[in-house]
Amino acid sequence: MTLLRDPSILIVGGGPVGLCTGIALLKDGHQVALVDSGAHGAGWASGGMLAPLYEMAADPTCPEPYVEFALKSAEHWQELARTCAFDLQAPSLFLARTEEEAVALLSLRSRANGLGLDLTSVCVPAELTAQAAFQAPSERSLDPRAALNSLLTQFQLLGGELLTGQAEAIGSHQLGLVDGRTFEAETIILANGFGASSFGQSVPALKALSPVKGQMVRVAHPELASPIVRACRIYVLSRGGGLVIGATSDPLAAPVLSVDVDPVLALLAEAKELLPSVATALTIEAWAGLRPDTPDHLPLVGASGVDGIYLATGTYRNGWLLAPAIGTYLSELISGKTLDQALMNLLAPERFSS
């Protein structure tokens, strides 16, 4: 048995949620080690969207405490980006291609105003095909690959310990790796996305996780005037001298990271309707990721029901957005601080333990 520094917190998963949680715990005076396999997860594969308006407030059924949680997390990103020295892209341009989409965006503007956020009507850029456009200064994105490197550097600068390995078995206060190493820690946090589902026999709440496959494409194309363009399910990001186009969403696809031709072609066809010049753009890269989802599309954050094990997964489409708030929430929870009960009820992993 390998003993970590005592008292110790061991985090499984080096994606945005794991790293932001580690950073928050370190800032609060905890000693933290992080186990990561080195494989690319959903955080690496995503578009890095920080979009509480478009992803949450646009849904009238989204619980209010969850919207507020997301908005606070979006605010945290501004400070975290400055500390870790990476850029946030803004503003976002929301496009309506049909009358129905225009009505939905007008409704979202009213919701945004009620939340103290700006969503203003603007002219549709000539290069884009749409009936109406709204600009959202507070909706941002980041480059996931660059941000992951910066967050890891910050985690280590704060004294966090990085352990490379694949987690294989878990029990109360204990974690086993594929290579035979075992670790004992006062607190273990599973923040490894859909990968945490492999521990479902030991942690029943994890049986609620399901994979939603998403695929994205990068094309060679001049960057757009607006760095983020969104229209219904599709987004186009000006990044790295080209465009990143995302994202498919298929809960019925096999949970593998292969790129499937038909969904990618459908994504490109939709992008061409929005931006006709994509028709002649050279495809540079295509990739896939598995989003960790739950039956109610809300995360699993908090005590797992198994002594010493906490969960930080099930973030679905919003892992990057929610990562700082999840980190702060877990640090406060582990430290015994009083948290909002309504939010705790929404996020509690034990809602699926049975």
Side-chain angles (χ1 to χ4, degrees):
M1 180 77 70
T2 301
L3 297 178
L4 298 172
R5 293 166 294 185
D6 188 34
S8 62
I9 296 177
L10 182 61
I11 299 172
V12 180
V17 174
L19 286 169
C20 285
T21 299
I23 289 170
L25 287 163
L26 288 165
K27 286 182 176 179
D28 283 346
H30 297 281
Q31 293 179 312
V32 185
L34 186 149
V35 174
D36 185 63
S37 68
H40 294 320
W44 180 93
S46 79
M49 306 302 290
L50 312 176
L53 267 183
Y54 207 90
E55 293 288 346
M56 297 176 186
D59 179 1
T61 67
C62 189
E64 195 67 29
Y66 190 46
V67 174
E68 293 174 0
F69 186 66
L71 289 170
K72 289 179 181 177
S73 198
E75 293 175 4
H76 291 331
W77 269 118
Q78 296 182 69
E79 178 184 352
L80 197 53
R82 285 192 296 269
T83 302
C84 298
F86 59 83
D87 295 327
L88 299 181
Q89 292 178 293
S92 291
L93 188 69
F94 298 168
L95 297 181
R97 297 166 295 180
T98 65
E99 290 294 335
E100 183 180 4
E101 289 179 5
V103 170
L105 285 180
L106 286 170
S107 175
L108 181 56
R109 182 170 66 176
S110 298
R111 183 80 191 277
N113 291 339
L115 294 169
L117 301 173
D118 291 330
L119 185 59
T120 56
S121 179
V122 296
C123 294
V124 178
E127 60 193 340
L128 298 167
T129 302
Q131 293 187 11
F134 296 82
Q135 189 176 79
S138 62
E139 298 280 281
R140 301 177 175 88
S141 71
L142 51 74
D143 183 333
R145 302 174 192 184
L148 284 171
N149 289 333
S150 297
L151 289 170
L152 178 57
T153 298
Q154 180 67 10
F155 172 78
Q156 292 176 307
L157 284 173
L158 290 170
E161 181 182 2
L162 176 64
L163 306 169
T164 301
Q166 176 66 51
E168 181 180 47
I170 195 168
S172 179
H173 304 288
Q174 294 185 0
L175 183 75
L177 305 189
V178 170
D179 61 13
R181 286 180 292 168
T182 57
F183 297 94
E184 184 175 87
E186 182 177 306
T187 301
I188 298 172
I189 301 172
L190 296 179
N192 53 331
F194 179 65
S197 65
S198 64
F199 300 125
Q201 291 302 316
S202 301
V203 185
L206 290 171
K207 294 179 181 180
L209 285 180
S210 61
V212 177
K213 187 172 183 175
Q215 300 184 82
M216 300 179 63
V217 179
R218 185 189 307 273
V219 300
H221 188 287
E223 295 191 356
L224 306 180
S226 179
I228 308 164
V229 176
R230 305 204 66 165
C232 200
R233 72 157 187 160
I234 194 172
Y235 53 78
V236 180
L237 309 174
S238 294
R239 185 172 291 166
L243 300 180
V244 172
I245 302 169
T248 68
S249 186
D250 188 354
L252 301 179
V256 293
L257 295 180
S258 58
V259 175
D260 305 315
V261 173
D262 287 345
V264 169
L265 290 177
L267 183 65
L268 286 170
E270 194 168 352
K272 286 188 290 184
E273 292 180 2
L274 185 69
L275 180 62
S277 55
V278 166
T280 58
L282 175 68
T283 299
I284 299 173
E285 182 185 8
W287 65 94
L290 299 176
R291 305 179 185 95
D293 196 14
T294 65
D296 58 11
H297 303 308
L298 297 176
L300 306 173
V301 183
S304 70
V306 178
D307 190 33
I309 299 175
Y310 288 74
L311 304 184
T313 183
T315 51
Y316 188 34
R317 295 170 57 91
N318 294 295
W320 276 105
L321 168 62
L322 297 174
I326 288 175
T328 300
Y329 178 94
L330 279 176
S331 187
E332 292 177 348
L333 182 64
I334 290 168
S335 299
K337 297 181 181 179
T338 301
L339 298 172
D340 179 76
Q341 190 61 50
L343 182 64
M344 289 185 71
N345 292 341
L346 287 174
L347 304 183
E350 291 183 278
R351 70 189 190 274
F352 294 120
S353 291
S354 60

